Amino acid sequence: MNFNQLVEKAEKRNKQTIAVAAAEDIEVLEAVLTALKMGLAKFLLFGNKTEINRLMAKNYPELKQHPDLEIIHSDTSQVAALKAVQAVRNKQADVLMKGNLATSIILKAVLNKETGLRSGKVLSHLAVFEFQNYKKWILLTDAAMNIAPTVEQKAEIIINAVTVANALEIRKPKVVPLAAIETVNPAMSATMDAAILTQMNQRGQIANCIVDGPLALDVAISPFAAEHKKINSKVAGDADILVVPSIEVGNVLYKSFVYFAKARVGAVVTGATAPIVLTSRSDSAESKLLSLILAVCTTENRDLGGN
């Protein structure tokens, strides 16, 4: 499957409702307009109503009076985040989407113990990349949420990623906990964690996937590198999911894929009671749209992460 096929899958589904927090953003509104033209979703836009209407009138007049769009005024970004989260919690919306506000603000609303979207699971970020010159999607986790996850958190991050992979029709995904080398070195914690995660998978503690590591990036995705290094593995050279040891590694890989490899990317946060579109404010309108489509296609698993 590629993103074009994912769009076709989304178009066949019943319209989902997206709650956008702080929607006064030109890239967000472009993604909203495209989604509406494709008939993919309905939208609740939370934010400064005057500013949203001004941006619409100037840039996207087609959005004015659209039957599948409603604007709910919010005086501040904090209020917009709280209202958008509440709409999802109350089942008035199926997906939460971040607009023009800081990630910390929307996550504070999501993680509120009384009014948020906690499921009891670890929340993790999953990015899906499509490359022009690679044979399939690469799923990358976690580039935005967990700073230095423990081995227990990495296990939950893998479970979250496998759930989304299944929604994308990737059965029994091949998972690689990345490291700099392919041998276990007690001085390199990433290799120790990878070995433990591999053992957990073999004993059924991490199910519905094949985990093998530690592996370096070249061995994970290149059959030539795997053969040259004489790595005997069921996942080497054919990884579906790359699990990074820290947020710094994930962030660098994510941006390298986008800026150097020119990959198309969509991303969601999983582990909450509903999918969350948590793109960067600098992400393109296409990336925001692909993330929205990815979230829509995973709403049939409303308890992403295994709630």
Side-chain angles (χ1 to χ4, degrees), residues 4 6 12 33 47 55 58 69 72 75 83 86 91 107 144 149 152 181 222 230 257-258 260 271 299 303:
N4 291 337
L6 191 65
K12 294 175 182 177
L33 175 61
L55 288 173
K58 181 179 179 181
L69 183 149
I72 299 93
D75 289 324
K83 287 183 177 180
Q86 185 179 41
K91 305 295 178 70
L107 287 181
E152 293 86 358
I181 56 176
S222 168
K230 297 181 172 57
F257 288 169
V258 171
F260 287 118
T299 52
D303 59 337

Side-chain angles (χ1 to χ4, degrees), residues 2-269:
N2 55 36
F3 275 122
N4 291 337
Q5 292 169 317
L6 191 65
V7 169
E8 293 175 5
K9 180 178 179 180
E11 289 174 333
K12 294 175 182 177
R13 300 200 58 201
N14 293 330
K15 287 183 184 178
Q16 306 295 299
T17 300
I18 317 297
V20 183
E24 52 271 40
D25 178 271
I26 192 166
E27 302 285 353
V28 168
L29 293 177
E30 182 179 342
V32 168
L33 175 61
T34 304
L36 287 171
K37 285 182 175 179
M38 298 167 69
L40 294 178
K42 302 177 182 179
F43 289 88
L44 300 176
L45 304 185
F46 296 88
N48 185 301
K49 192 169 185 176
T50 300
E51 179 63 10
I52 292 172
N53 279 322
R54 185 190 71 80
L55 288 173
M56 284 182 179
K58 181 179 179 181
N59 301 283
Y60 308 112
E62 308 99 307
L63 288 174
K64 299 287 287 183
Q65 308 302 321
H66 196 288
D68 286 337
L69 183 149
E70 180 182 356
I71 303 172
I72 299 93
H73 178 74
S74 305
D75 289 324
T76 66
S77 296
Q78 288 83 354
V79 173
L82 288 170
K83 287 183 177 180
V85 168
Q86 185 179 41
V88 177
R89 183 182 177 90
N90 294 340
K91 305 295 178 70
Q92 296 169 304
D94 304 284
V95 173
L96 177 66
M97 182 174 183
K98 173 181 174 285
N100 189 16
L101 77 170
T103 297
S104 59
I105 294 175
I106 195 166
L107 287 181
K108 183 178 180 180
V110 168
L111 296 173
N112 186 293
K113 291 182 179 179
E114 296 180 357
T115 61
L117 303 176
R118 285 174 175 263
S119 69
K121 298 293 182 178
V122 169
L123 268 66
S124 58
H125 182 272
L126 178 76
V128 179
F129 291 92
E130 179 183 307
F131 301 90
Q132 291 183 357
N133 59 350
Y134 194 67
K135 57 190 175 183
K136 60 179 178 179
W137 273 333
I138 290 291
L139 281 61
L140 178 71
T141 190
D142 178 336
M145 288 289 295
N146 294 281
I147 297 172
T150 64
V151 69
E152 293 86 358
Q153 290 171 326
K154 288 177 181 177
E156 290 203 44
I157 288 168
I158 291 173
I159 292 168
N160 285 349
V162 169
T163 304
V164 176
N166 290 164
L168 299 177
E169 300 179 10
I170 303 172
R171 308 302 176 196
K172 204 83 171 176
K174 297 174 181 177
V175 182
V176 173
L178 289 173
I181 56 176
E182 288 78 35
T183 55
V184 177
N185 183 337
M188 302 173 72
S189 59
T191 68
M192 299 289 287
D193 286 358
I196 294 169
L197 293 166
T198 301
Q199 189 69 15
M200 291 175 71
N201 174 244
Q202 291 173 358
R203 295 187 176 181
Q205 293 171 270
I206 303 173
N208 302 318
C209 61
I210 304 171
V211 181
D212 195 13
L215 296 178
L217 178 63
D218 57 342
V219 173
I221 62 173
S222 168
F224 172 80
E227 182 179 357
H228 189 70
K229 289 187 175 182
K230 297 181 172 57
I231 302 298
N232 183 20
S233 165
K234 293 181 179 179
V235 305
D238 197 33
D240 296 297
I241 300 172
L242 303 178
V243 183
V244 298
S246 69
I247 197 170
E248 290 87 0
V249 176
N251 185 276
V252 170
L253 263 184
Y254 183 109
K255 290 174 180 175
S256 297
F257 288 169
V258 171
Y259 288 97
F260 287 118
K262 306 300 180 184
R264 302 175 77 193
V265 60
V268 291
V269 170

